[in-house]
């Protein structure tokens, strides 16, 4: 049994379902000339996610350019278990793929500490 997984869950997927909400960290790279448009589209997408689904987002970018690209990160805290379908639809609506070089890399985390 993994002590970091809640109440006997055996896999991260099982644990995520048990917790129902996980934090999402999504990073990708884009050319600096797309900065303004990417910021505009992601900000509008995150406003829709907050308004329609109650999921608050943050957008971050590394200050330096590496290999001609900026690294961007979207953060979503306590996203619902069906967030993958919701986000996939919103990313298509926002037409983000035309501004991004390569893939969007998704990482999931949940809190392992409790408030005392």
């Amino acid at each position: 049994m993994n002590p970091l997984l809640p109440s006997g869950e055996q896999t991260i997927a099982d644990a995520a379902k048990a917790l129902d909400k996980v934090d999402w960290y999504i990073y990708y790279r884009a050319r600096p000339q797309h900065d303004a448009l990417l910021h505009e589209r992601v900000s509008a997408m995150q406003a829709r996610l907050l308004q329609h689904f109650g999921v608050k987002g943050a957008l971050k970018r590394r200050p330096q350019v590496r290999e001609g690209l900026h690294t961007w990160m979207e953060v979503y805290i306590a996203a619902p278990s069906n967030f993958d379908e919701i986000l996939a639809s919103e990313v298509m609506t926002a037409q983000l793929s035309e501004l991004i070089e390569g893939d969007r890399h998704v990482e999931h985390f949940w809190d392992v500490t409790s408030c005392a």
Side-chain angles (χ1 to χ4, degrees), residues 71-92:
T71 301
W72 291 79
M73 179 173 287
E74 297 168 34
V75 179
Y76 302 96
I77 304 300
S81 60
N82 66 335
F83 192 61
D84 50 343
E85 294 96 11
I86 293 168
L87 187 59
S89 175
E90 287 295 329
V91 166
M92 286 182 59

Side-chain angles (χ1 to χ4, degrees), residues 23-89:
D23 300 342
W24 287 55
Y25 296 84
I26 304 163
Y27 62 95
Y28 46 87
R29 300 177 77 190
R31 299 196 179 284
Q33 61 263 34
H34 296 312
D35 282 359
L37 188 54
L38 184 62
H39 181 265
E40 177 184 314
R41 289 182 184 183
V42 173
S43 295
M45 177 181 77
Q46 289 182 333
R48 288 190 305 273
L49 288 167
L50 180 60
Q51 180 181 10
H52 297 292
F53 303 100
V55 177
K56 185 176 180 182
L59 181 62
K60 301 173 183 296
R61 192 196 79 208
R62 283 194 174 131
Q64 66 272 54
V65 174
R66 290 187 183 159
E67 299 173 4
L69 301 169
H70 273 137
T71 301
W72 291 79
M73 179 173 287
E74 297 168 34
V75 179
Y76 302 96
I77 304 300
S81 60
N82 66 335
F83 192 61
D84 50 343
E85 294 96 11
I86 293 168
L87 187 59
S89 175

Side-chain angles (χ1 to χ4, degrees), residues 89-103:
S89 175
E90 287 295 329
V91 166
M92 286 182 59
T93 298
Q95 298 177 327
L96 297 184
S97 63
E98 66 187 42
L99 303 175
I100 294 171
E101 300 291 323
D103 295 326

Side-chain angles (χ1 to χ4, degrees), residues 12-22 81:
I12 292 173
D14 291 338
K17 288 177 185 172
L19 293 172
D20 191 42
K21 295 189 184 241
V22 295
S81 60

